[in-house]
Amino acid sequence: MPAHADGLIENVNGITLNKSGDVVRFSAMVIDDEGRVKELLDRRDKRPSDLDFQFDGNGKTLIPGFVDAHGHVMGMGFAALTLDLSGTRSLEEALQKISVYAARYPNRQWIIGNGWNQELWGLGRFPNADELDAVIPDRPVFLSRVDGHAAWTNSAAMRAAGIGKTTKSPSGGAIEKKSGKLTGIFIDRAQDLFSKAIPEPRPVERDLALMKAQEILLSNGVTAIADMGTTMQDWQSFRRAGDAGQLNVRIIAYAAEIDNMIAIGGPGPSPWLYDNRLKMAGVKLYVDGALGSRGALLKQPYADSPNQSGLALLTPAQLKNKMSRAAMDGFQTAVHAIGDKANEELLSAIEEMQTSYTGDRRWRIEHAQILDPADLPRIAATGTIASMQPVHQTSDRLMAEARLGTNRLDGAYAWRSILDSGAKLAFGTDVPVENVNPFPGLAAAMTREDETGEPFGGWLPRERVTRREAWRAYTLGSAYAAFAEKQIGSLEPGKRADFVIIAEDLMLASPSTIRNIKVEQTWINGRAVFQAK
């Protein structure tokens, strides 16, 4: 076989971090025939002559592709193909959008959607079935809250699922009632009551959702993502795409619960497949629910609902059993924990696991939103990685104040405190809960202000991180969290040539400019996979 020559990316404002986290600048990059970085060059270095291709960057900025530490790939794809309520700002606007959608698709058996948030509507309560019945009385409607931890349904949906006044809330879930009447709100595991009634997507629909998800990821400069909650059906879609040569984004899968972990991984994590495009790395577990639906498990009752302290989705014994089952076969464990009690229970479990399962385990806390300051040092002490989403802080700020009260916010979205404790930080978006675009997340991490600049000076500004720290958490930190730091996360010789081309200098631009950066090109393995129109 003839040897392939190298490729040259020339005339760029190249910026990357090295393995120590220091900023490295370069003006050209040599890519070998396997799509790996061969060499970074500055203006004085001699360029290779025997080239397979040469690309002129026209002085634009070139940075490593982003690694989203926590997202839901298929959820993002389906969200883009179903009813999206994330942009609605009132109940009335949401109902209008639902009505229009139903009229546009009269042949769909169920109206499925997502993205509603009663906090943004200023409603002061959950929406209810009566309000849905008024616009869609004849077809089942199932609408997931923005965080996926609650569903809003109509009467037709409850009838289709066989749910009535006497239906009891399952363990780890809650069926909301008012004066003994079903409100149509189902929290956390109560949503599972609808699983048999809602038609399963066909394989062709799943594959379409995956293609849509890849399109969204690449257009936002995300070249790799940790898929949190991979089912066997999801895995089969990923494999079909890989077999067909259509898997561009790198997906590091964490199975949805132990049963999917065993079904997909069998005796242990999979190797990298499809030229480092796909890997089954571990398992995703849940300790509690979300703050918005008051499912996050707290040490003290909710300030705005004193009779509630959250939902325990696993007992401490169940959590340790599941973590042990994963660890014994070498699977990495990523555990959703939002409330301070949930995080305390998880850290206690990790401390116990460490006595039996040694070595480089890289235990992961997903979200770690509300921490008791007393528990902060335990994260670094156990080598646990805090996998967090900066955009959650700007979205949740007012709601967090209402749920906790202003005197319980120490340890809330505490990125600076976590880093200062010596723990490692990985950033992501929790897409489709939030938009997958990483640039608003970088700006939020640096300022703790939202897109309108509120609150001025930042919310709990002591928890801000620096520009370089935020960027590292979104690249090297996320790669490390998934045992992928030798392949991705930075542009260094031997690593994959996954990069993004933008107009702005990421190290010099203001946070407001960073927030609005648009990706011009995305490259994976040394070839362009996205070009802005």
Side-chain angles (χ1 to χ4, degrees):
M1 294 288 290
H4 290 284
D6 299 330
L8 179 68
I9 309 296
E10 175 69 291
N11 187 23
V12 292
N13 174 34
I15 318 171
T16 187
L17 297 172
N18 61 21
K19 60 185 177 183
S20 302
D22 300 319
V23 175
V24 174
R25 289 187 176 268
F26 56 95
S27 65
M29 178 168 62
V30 182
I31 300 172
D32 70 18
D33 62 309
E34 293 185 337
R36 290 184 173 88
V37 177
K38 187 172 183 178
E39 192 177 7
L40 300 180
L41 306 173
D42 66 25
R43 299 191 185 283
R44 296 164 296 187
D45 292 326
K46 184 180 179 182
R47 273 40 177 171
S49 56
D50 185 18
L51 294 171
D52 204 31
F53 75 91
Q54 187 167 354
F55 174 81
D56 187 340
N58 294 313
K60 297 289 180 69
T61 296
L62 184 156
I63 58 175
F66 287 92
V67 182
D68 194 308
H70 183 119
H72 307 277
V73 174
M74 298 301 288
M76 170 177 29
F78 280 120
L81 298 173
T82 55
L83 173 59
D84 180 10
L85 297 173
S86 59
T88 57
R89 290 295 178 266
S90 69
L91 174 62
E92 292 72 26
E93 184 185 351
L95 291 171
Q96 172 67 15
K97 197 165 186 178
I98 294 164
S99 179
V100 169
Y101 184 89
R104 185 184 304 154
Y105 300 104
N107 296 322
R108 293 194 176 174
Q109 290 177 271
W110 282 64
I111 302 299
I112 305 293
N114 63 87
W116 61 271
N117 186 351
Q118 82 281 6
E119 297 295 326
L120 294 181
W121 297 346
L123 205 56
R125 61 171 175 83
F126 281 126
N128 59 53
D130 290 342
E131 289 155 341
L132 270 182
D133 290 344
V135 293
I136 313 287
D138 53 344
R139 269 191 289 171
V141 180
F142 184 94
L143 306 169
S144 298
R145 193 181 184 277
V146 64
D147 55 16
H149 287 271
W152 174 26
T153 69
N154 67 351
S155 297
M158 290 185 278
R159 285 194 300 271
I163 297 168
K165 291 181 180 180
T166 59
T167 305
K168 294 182 179 178
S169 296
S171 175
I175 301 173
E176 193 179 76
K177 297 179 181 179
K178 191 171 184 180
S179 302
K181 180 183 176 183
L182 295 170
T183 66
I185 294 294
F186 295 79
I187 296 172
D188 286 310
R189 292 204 172 130
Q191 297 175 85
D192 297 344
L193 297 171
F194 293 86
S195 59
K196 291 182 180 178
I198 298 173
E200 277 284 327
R202 295 173 297 154
V204 65
E205 292 167 335
R206 290 185 177 278
D207 294 350
L208 182 63
L210 175 56
M211 292 302 109
K212 186 65 177 177
Q214 289 197 91
E215 178 187 315
I216 296 168
L217 287 163
L218 296 172
S219 67
N220 283 284
V222 178
T223 53
I225 184 168
D227 185 55
M228 288 292 164
T230 308
T231 65
M232 176 52 86
Q233 292 85 352
D234 297 340
W235 182 257
Q236 288 170 332
S237 284
F238 301 159
R239 291 297 302 262
R240 284 194 294 271
D243 290 344
Q246 296 175 337
L247 191 61
N248 285 319
V249 175
R250 303 190 194 278
I251 300 175
I252 303 147
Y254 291 79
E257 273 290 348
I258 299 295
D259 55 347
N260 281 296
M261 179 194 84
I262 295 169
I264 297 168
S270 79
W272 280 104
L273 305 170
Y274 310 114
D275 201 20
N276 287 56
R277 294 301 208 290
L278 180 63
K279 180 180 181 180
M280 166 54 65
V283 66
K284 164 77 178 302
L285 304 173
Y286 286 85
V287 177
D288 65 346
L291 205 58
S293 52
R294 297 188 185 87
L297 195 60
L298 302 180
K299 293 183 176 182
Q300 301 296 327
Y302 280 86
D304 58 355
S305 185
N307 63 335
Q308 291 182 274
S309 298
L311 288 170
L313 302 187
L314 293 173
T315 66
Q318 289 171 329
L319 173 63
K320 286 181 281 190
N321 284 341
K322 287 174 182 286
M323 291 176 69
S324 182
R325 177 64 187 85
M328 66 188 289
D329 283 338
F331 289 97
Q332 189 184 12
T333 305
V335 185
H336 166 116
I338 288 183
D340 52 9
K341 185 172 178 60
N343 278 283
E344 178 189 49
E345 289 182 358
L346 175 55
L347 287 165
S348 295
I350 291 171
E351 287 165 350
E352 190 169 327
M353 287 294 107
Q354 284 189 312
T355 63
S356 301
Y357 303 102
T358 57
D360 188 6
R361 294 284 172 171
R362 301 190 195 180
W363 313 97
R364 294 178 58 141
I365 299 177
E366 303 303 316
H367 308 306
Q369 287 179 5
I370 311 299
L371 289 161
D372 184 332
D375 291 327
L376 267 168
R378 302 169 71 189
I379 301 175
T382 53
T384 301
I385 297 158
S387 170
M388 304 179 76
Q389 301 76 40
V391 281
H392 278 338
Q393 181 265 301
T394 51
S395 296
D396 294 355
R397 171 176 61 91
L398 296 176
M399 180 265 291
E401 290 179 351
R403 296 287 186 270
L404 298 172
T406 55
N407 62 332
R408 290 164 60 190
L409 294 175
D410 282 350
Y413 310 83
W415 315 316
R416 174 84 269 148
S417 295
I418 288 170
L419 275 181
D420 286 349
S421 75
K424 288 185 166 57
L425 199 58
F427 279 164
T429 58
D430 201 11
V431 63
V433 176
E434 302 279 0
N435 190 294
V436 77
N437 186 348
F439 294 105
L442 284 174
M446 294 161 60
T447 64
R448 293 178 74 93
E449 296 175 351
D450 64 18
E451 66 274 8
T452 67
E454 292 294 328
F456 180 75
W459 187 70
L460 305 178
R462 62 183 177 275
E463 294 295 351
R464 288 184 298 223
V465 294
T466 67
R467 178 189 308 258
R468 189 176 65 174
E469 289 166 340
W471 190 28
R472 179 172 185 166
Y474 246 123
T475 50
L476 281 169
S478 299
Y480 177 86
F483 285 94
E485 73 276 11
K486 292 181 180 178
Q487 290 84 21
I488 57 176
S490 63
L491 296 169
E492 300 175 81
K495 287 193 177 184
R496 297 289 177 168
D498 298 352
F499 58 88
V500 176
I501 294 176
I502 56 178
E504 297 80 2
D505 187 312
L506 195 62
M507 291 292 100
L508 301 176
S510 68
S512 59
T513 298
I514 290 173
R515 180 181 290 278
N516 294 301
I517 286 175
K518 302 298 181 189
V519 171
E520 298 189 6
Q521 292 186 35
T522 302
W523 292 54
I524 291 183
N525 247 28
R527 75 179 252 275
V529 290
F530 168 78
Q531 170 75 56
K533 295 177 182 177

